[in-house]
Amino acid sequence: MSNQPANTTIIRPIQKLNLGRRGMFRIAGMTTLSAAAIAVLGGCKTMAATPMVSEGDVNTLNVALGLEHEAINAYQLGAESGPPAKAGARRRGPVPKPPQAASRCPDRRDQEHGGTPVAEKPMNDYAKALNASTLKSQADVLTLAAKLEKGAANAYLGVIPSFESKDLAQVAGRLAADEVMHWTVLASALKQSLPEKALTFGA
Amino acid sequence: MKRVLILAALVALPTARAEAGGDAAHGREIYESRCIACHSPDANRVGPRHRGVFGRKAGSLADYSYSKALRGSDFVWNDQTLDRWLTNPQALVPGQKMNFKTAQAEDRADLIAYLKTLQ
């Protein structure tokens, strides 16, 4: 592991990527399809009425949104755990979070399409679920992060066959690629060797 | 007739494997590689906690927010139901929200063997 604090060199950059990625679930405009899906996640009936997104796909997206919530909070926990970073390198207070998905929809009363967006939990809930109190060192933080990233990569790969929409399946593939990228950085920092076998992920 | 018997045997194979008992140690490896993104043995996360899942009524944890479909289901998690769930959750409980499939029968058997240890 380098002499640079992991918070600064690894955790923060990945955290920043994750924050930007959650926006993908929120910001309409990638494609009509994803805009509709995001509308469903936001509980917007008028947009969600589109037949392009199936209920199953909405459910899967909602689980993905839950994963994104947890990932962002896990990295925040990681950034706040372990030895302090160099003076000035560490942000004061929590990383600002983007507005909630549901807030983009003008009519939150309509959440009847099976599309009630999964809510972000309080940070303490994530801390408890992830046993954050046991994170005593940079290695602890990186190990937890690597475990979650590997799991997330496999999770996104695992839901690809379930998507009815090929566009959303591709999005899941791209998210999985992101997770693998994060895992590789973390594994490298932990001085873990790369897997010896091919097709390590998704099986 | 022979073809029908072969097909019947193939359909029965996964459940038979699960009942035969998988490799719990390998199941744990799979769990910590694939399931851990959403699940933990002792904490509700994106998915519900798994300790005690074997033998528990599906959708019955009071402190986890299940899909309506799973909350309204009426079965117990055992070798057969877990195998069907891991094979294709949507086929077992239409409207559920997991949608993660475990394609290999041996992996499912190993996972189930591990889940049995979470008592």
Side-chain angles (χ1 to χ4, degrees), chain A residues 11 14-15 18 71-79 145 149 182 186:
Chain A
I11 297 297
I14 297 178
Q15 185 180 27
N18 280 340
I72 287 168
N73 282 277
Y75 273 96
Q76 182 62 35
L77 286 167
E149 295 289 4
H182 301 163
L186 292 161

Side-chain angles (χ1 to χ4, degrees), chain A residues 55-57 59-60 62-64 66-67 70 121 125 128-130 147-148 150-162 200 202-203, chain B residues 30-40 42-47 64 67-68 88-90 94-102 104 107:
Chain A
E55 184 182 351
D57 283 0
N59 287 339
T60 306
N62 220 353
V63 169
L67 265 177
E70 185 182 79
K121 299 174 187 175
D125 286 7
K128 187 178 175 185
L130 296 171
K147 193 173 172 181
L148 293 176
K150 188 175 187 181
N154 286 326
Y156 282 124
L157 289 169
V159 298
I160 286 175
S162 298
T200 300
Chain B
I30 296 171
Y31 187 90
E32 294 191 349
S33 170
R34 300 184 211 168
C35 311
I36 205 71
C38 298
H39 293 279
S40 291
D42 295 306
N44 292 331
R45 293 172 50 216
V46 175
Y64 178 75
S67 62
K68 279 184 186 176
N88 186 348
Q90 187 68 6
Q96 56 72 48
K97 61 185 182 182
M98 187 169 94
N99 291 324
F100 184 97
K101 297 175 183 174
T102 303
Q104 301 298 319
D107 288 350

Side-chain angles (χ1 to χ4, degrees), chain A residues 25 33 37 53-54 56-62 64 155-173 175, chain B residues 99 101:
Chain A
F25 285 85
L33 180 64
V53 182
S54 70
D57 283 0
V58 168
N59 287 339
T60 306
L61 282 171
N62 220 353
Y156 282 124
L157 289 169
V159 298
I160 286 175
S162 298
F163 273 118
E164 292 179 33
S165 159
K166 288 184 178 178
D167 288 343
L168 289 176
Q170 185 184 31
V171 170
L175 290 167
Chain B
N99 291 324
K101 297 175 183 174

Side-chain angles (χ1 to χ4, degrees), chain A residues 2 8-9 16 18-19 28 35 66 79 86 120 129 147 157 171 192 195 200 202:
Chain A
S2 76
T8 308
T9 59
K16 188 177 175 184
N18 280 340
L19 279 167
K86 283 183 177 177
E120 188 170 10
K147 193 173 172 181
L157 289 169
V171 170
Q192 294 176 356
T200 300

Side-chain angles (χ1 to χ4, degrees), chain A residues 3-72:
Chain A
N3 293 328
Q4 285 281 321
N7 280 346
T8 308
T9 59
I10 300 168
I11 297 297
R12 288 291 185 192
I14 297 178
Q15 185 180 27
K16 188 177 175 184
L17 285 173
N18 280 340
L19 279 167
R21 204 173 63 177
R22 184 163 66 170
M24 197 165 75
F25 285 85
R26 192 183 70 256
I27 300 167
M30 278 200 324
T31 67
T32 305
L33 180 64
S34 60
I38 291 157
V40 173
L41 288 171
C44 183
K45 182 181 178 182
T46 51
M47 290 177 69
T50 174
M52 286 186 288
V53 182
S54 70
E55 184 182 351
D57 283 0
V58 168
N59 287 339
T60 306
L61 282 171
N62 220 353
V63 169
L65 184 62
L67 265 177
E68 296 298 313
H69 285 325
E70 185 182 79
I72 287 168

